[in-house]
Amino acid sequence: MKILLSLRALCSRSSLLVLPWLVAAFSPATAKDYQADVIIYGGTSGAVMAGVQTARMGKTVIIVSPDKHLGGLTSGGLGWTDNGHAAGIGGLSLEFYQAVKQHYEKPEAWRQETHEEYRKNKRPYNRNRPGDKAMWVFEPHVAEGIMDDFVAKHQIQVLRDAWLDRENGVEMKDGKITAITTLAGDRFVGKVFIDGTYEGDLMAAAGVSYHVGRESNATYGETANGVQKDRRDHDHFFTAKISPYKIPGDPKSGLLERISAEDPSENGSGDNKIQAYCFRACLTNDPDNRIPFPKPEGYDPTQYELILRVYESGWDETFRKFDLMPNKKTDQNNHGPFSTDNIGANYDYPEASYERRREIIKEHETYQKGMMYFLANDPRVPEEVRKEMSTWGLPKDEFVDNGNWSHQLYIREARRMIGQHVVTEHDCLSKTDVTDSVGLGVYTMDSHQTQRYVTQDGYVQNEGDVGLHIKHPYPISYGAIVPKAAEAKNLLVPMALSASHIAFGSVRMEPTFMILGQSAGTAASIAVERGVNVQDVDYKKDLKPRLLADKQRLVHVPKKKKK
């Protein structure tokens, strides 16, 4: 019956993208029932670490992954780790980065260059000093290989390309999730569930409270939330007076592409907008491993007219965020007033259907690939930029089953749970007394641009970029990964956790997600062992001692000053 309900719900959607699934996905003969102590939905880095920790604690666990590749953004191109105050990273998260270092200590790991040649690149190597026990910069396939090894070593059952039926696929009884069902009809019965997705899909389907967008500053008494038109924390704003109109200075000619006509609202006010997404593109400048940037289907050079005006204003930082990784590759991130961040194109992503999300992801791919092609080929682009861009391309040995393009869009923010404790900028600035720490936040409160608009004096400007620094690592409350007891008694949410928009800008980093994933696995296992709700796990007696035993770092320990 549930399979038929899922089929009806899916068929009611208009997108033709569902058609290839129908024959294989909805056969009652292929649907199966599974059972484990802990069921994890998601294939992200945090989901993997939750699974590993659960297995290490002797509990049965199944990872139900909508992704074909494990590791999320860690294996999807973000090889230039946002490690911030790295001394706060411990447990399985640190273990992962130590495994990266062990990999690159092998001579056979260096295929396009030698280790010694890589060391000559001062900027990346400063992040990987010889004395470090971990390595924070790495190639995507190396990260995925380590994730797969973790899962194999702990004999964790993983079902890939398995999508939660978000409309009918969550069964609940007496405030607890009893089972979840995928679109393929597979049913997973568990005692505790963990939502390990960036989007918080299981959390939302279970009826847990959440927020999408930016709260106002007044909501939690913050300073850096909501609309931030006057902040200039990074170099991602228009510093020159650039006209937003097709004919400069003529509003009647219409706006250039990628500029909104909507009023940006008042400073500090809340809205339903979210910070921009992009792909953390893995590129290479090794001629033997490089595929020239292809012209994507749907390529439209008018989408990039604005960057030509940026160049005309004298801006020359195109390659500032081509952060070098081993073997002549780069983790290429957004930089400047017009770059790879697809500002304003993701507002409906968090709540969108799977079909709509695929459309959004494809549009982001077309935009970013098109931009690379434009910069390398359009004769209007400054010659020095075209010449340098043409030395870069897609690596032949990365993402080989996806056209050498990342399989993971950077979902910087989607849904955020409203749980027992909401992490705010006060937590990040260590102004609150957190007594139930399950890990440390280590990074700046970092939000990318949220909107591109026309100022009152008729020029183009970006809004939303904030970089509010933290002084040292800060504790993250167990209550931030736990729903309110009245909503779900056996669910943990380490990824789409309970945090304000600006605080989430700090906790959303991959090392922190791995930390919280491990802590969620610990709490889930204790809840199973003790037969209690996740809200009733005894922090002092059970959770904290186990976290410390597994080398999680729960409090900031200041460095001793040299005499």
Side-chain angles (χ1 to χ4, degrees):
M1 181 63 180
K2 181 164 289 293
I3 295 172
L4 293 177
L5 287 172
S6 301
L7 180 54
R8 291 192 190 105
L10 191 60
C11 290
S12 68
R13 302 164 187 165
S14 60
S15 174
L16 293 177
L17 289 173
V18 303
L19 292 179
W21 299 359
L22 296 183
V23 174
F26 293 97
S27 171
T30 61
K32 296 181 180 179
D33 286 345
Y34 299 84
Q35 189 167 349
D37 293 324
V38 179
I39 305 296
I40 300 169
Y41 180 64
T44 61
S45 59
V48 171
M49 297 310 166
V52 171
Q53 180 64 19
T54 303
R56 286 186 177 183
M57 292 183 68
K59 300 296 179 285
T60 57
V61 58
I62 299 174
I63 294 178
V64 184
S65 172
D67 309 304
K68 295 179 181 178
H69 302 269
L70 295 180
L73 200 64
T74 294
S75 62
L78 204 167
W80 182 264
T81 305
D82 298 310
N83 58 350
H85 297 267
I89 300 171
L92 284 171
S93 184
L94 181 59
E95 192 173 319
F96 169 82
Y97 294 104
Q98 289 172 335
V100 171
K101 182 176 175 64
Q102 293 168 8
H103 171 83
Y104 284 109
E105 287 176 344
K106 302 174 183 177
E108 59 268 26
W110 300 90
R111 301 178 309 282
Q112 280 83 32
E113 63 183 338
T114 66
H115 199 173
E116 290 70 26
E117 289 172 333
Y118 178 69
R119 286 178 179 177
K120 294 178 182 179
N121 300 309
K122 292 184 179 180
R123 178 163 144 74
Y125 207 71
N126 283 343
R127 187 167 280 206
N128 292 287
R129 294 176 294 275
D132 285 353
K133 296 181 180 179
M135 186 166 177
W136 308 100
V137 182
F138 49 85
E139 300 160 274
H141 77 271
V142 171
E144 183 173 357
I146 294 171
M147 293 288 177
D148 287 339
D149 287 345
F150 274 23
V151 167
K153 178 181 178 181
H154 293 87
Q155 298 181 325
I156 298 171
Q157 185 175 10
V158 179
L159 279 79
R160 303 175 190 243
D161 200 17
W163 298 79
L164 175 69
D165 180 347
R166 290 159 55 190
E167 295 183 11
N168 302 290
V170 178
E171 300 174 38
M172 298 193 70
K173 183 179 181 181
D174 298 328
K176 291 185 177 182
I177 302 172
T178 56
I180 63 173
T181 303
T182 65
L183 290 174
D186 292 326
R187 185 169 177 266
F188 299 85
V189 177
K191 298 175 182 177
V192 177
F193 292 77
I194 297 175
D195 187 333
T197 65
Y198 293 120
E199 296 85 358
D201 279 346
L202 175 55
M203 167 195 74
V208 172
S209 299
Y210 61 87
H211 188 83
V212 175
R214 299 183 288 185
E215 300 92 348
S216 69
N217 272 329
T219 303
Y220 298 115
E222 297 174 297
T223 65
N225 211 336
V227 177
Q228 299 286 325
K229 290 184 290 188
D230 299 328
R231 292 194 76 109
R232 298 290 184 272
D233 295 345
H234 294 129
D235 300 326
H236 307 317
F237 295 89
F238 292 88
T239 56
K241 293 182 177 180
I242 295 177
S243 175
Y245 304 111
K246 294 177 181 179
I247 299 175
D250 181 7
K252 293 182 180 179
S253 65
L255 291 171
L256 291 174
E257 299 290 341
R258 308 283 166 178
I259 301 174
S260 173
E262 184 178 337
D263 181 84
S265 196
E266 298 300 318
N267 278 327
S269 62
D271 58 24
N272 61 355
K273 299 178 174 66
I274 55 176
Q275 58 179 305
Y277 299 165
C278 70
F279 287 92
R280 292 293 286 258
C282 181
L283 310 177
T284 183
N285 61 358
D286 178 15
D288 295 331
N289 195 36
R290 183 185 70 226
I291 301 171
F293 293 117
K295 179 192 290 188
E297 184 178 352
Y299 172 71
D300 178 7
T302 66
Q303 301 297 313
Y304 315 105
E305 292 289 330
L306 187 54
I307 198 171
L308 297 177
R309 296 187 188 181
V310 175
Y311 285 132
E312 289 172 359
S313 74
W315 186 81
D316 62 353
E317 299 180 8
T318 305
F319 304 99
R320 175 84 175 269
K321 283 300 292 176
F322 278 51
D323 293 317
L324 295 179
M325 300 189 298
N327 290 308
K328 298 184 178 181
K329 295 174 186 172
T330 181
D331 169 355
Q332 186 261 328
N333 194 15
N334 178 82
H335 180 75
F338 189 99
S339 186
T340 55
D341 273 2
N342 197 352
I343 300 172
N346 62 341
Y347 297 157
D348 60 333
Y349 181 89
E351 301 277 38
S353 67
Y354 292 136
E355 293 77 25
R356 174 60 185 145
R357 284 182 184 170
R358 286 186 180 89
E359 293 171 355
I360 295 170
I361 292 169
K362 185 61 178 178
E363 195 277 335
H364 278 69
E365 180 180 338
T366 300
Y367 166 75
Q368 196 162 335
K369 281 183 175 179
M371 187 177 191
M372 298 297 103
Y373 181 84
F374 179 84
L375 296 179
N377 294 279
D378 197 290
R380 297 171 296 170
V381 173
E383 183 179 3
E384 62 272 20
V385 175
R386 279 187 286 121
K387 184 176 180 180
E388 173 68 16
M389 187 62 71
S390 295
T391 68
W392 293 92
L394 305 182
K396 296 176 182 177
D397 58 348
E398 297 288 352
F399 313 118
V400 294
D401 65 344
N402 196 47
N404 307 101
W405 186 258
S406 174
H407 45 72
Q408 178 64 62
L409 182 63
Y410 196 166
I411 309 302
R412 288 192 172 93
E413 185 175 359
R415 300 185 184 97
R416 288 173 282 108
M417 179 173 67
I418 303 175
Q420 287 196 320
H421 176 89
V422 179
V423 182
T424 68
E425 71 175 59
H426 308 297
D427 295 79
C428 300
L429 297 175
S430 300
K431 295 181 179 180
T432 54
D433 184 20
V434 174
T435 59
D436 58 349
S437 172
V438 288
L440 297 177
V442 299
Y443 202 76
T444 297
M445 284 174 270
D446 181 20
S447 172
H448 281 231
Q449 303 290 12
T450 301
Q451 55 188 332
R452 180 177 290 130
Y453 67 101
V454 181
T455 65
Q456 289 185 344
D457 53 357
Y459 298 104
V460 62
Q461 191 51 270
N462 296 331
E463 184 278 321
D465 185 278
V466 177
L468 184 57
H469 292 285
I470 63 173
K471 295 181 180 179
H472 51 70
Y474 61 89
I476 299 172
S477 168
Y478 176 55
I481 66 172
V482 176
K484 297 172 183 176
E487 296 180 341
K489 299 176 183 178
N490 65 336
L491 174 67
L492 291 151
V493 187
M495 307 289 288
L497 71 154
S498 180
S500 70
H501 156 73
I502 193 57
F504 192 79
S506 172
V507 299
R508 67 181 174 83
M509 303 305 165
E510 291 290 294
T512 308
F513 278 154
M514 288 191 241
I515 290 169
L516 296 178
Q518 178 183 355
S519 293
T522 305
S525 299
I526 293 172
V528 170
E529 180 74 23
R530 301 296 189 192
V532 298
N533 299 334
V534 295
Q535 292 85 2
D536 297 327
V537 168
D538 192 317
Y539 179 79
K540 292 184 178 179
K541 179 182 177 182
D542 293 324
L543 184 54
K544 181 179 178 180
R546 181 65 198 227
L547 294 176
L548 291 174
D550 291 330
K551 301 182 180 179
Q552 287 280 45
R553 298 175 183 177
L554 304 181
V555 296
H556 168 58
V557 180
K559 289 184 179 180
K560 293 182 179 180
K561 295 183 179 180
K562 295 182 180 180
K563 294 181 180 180

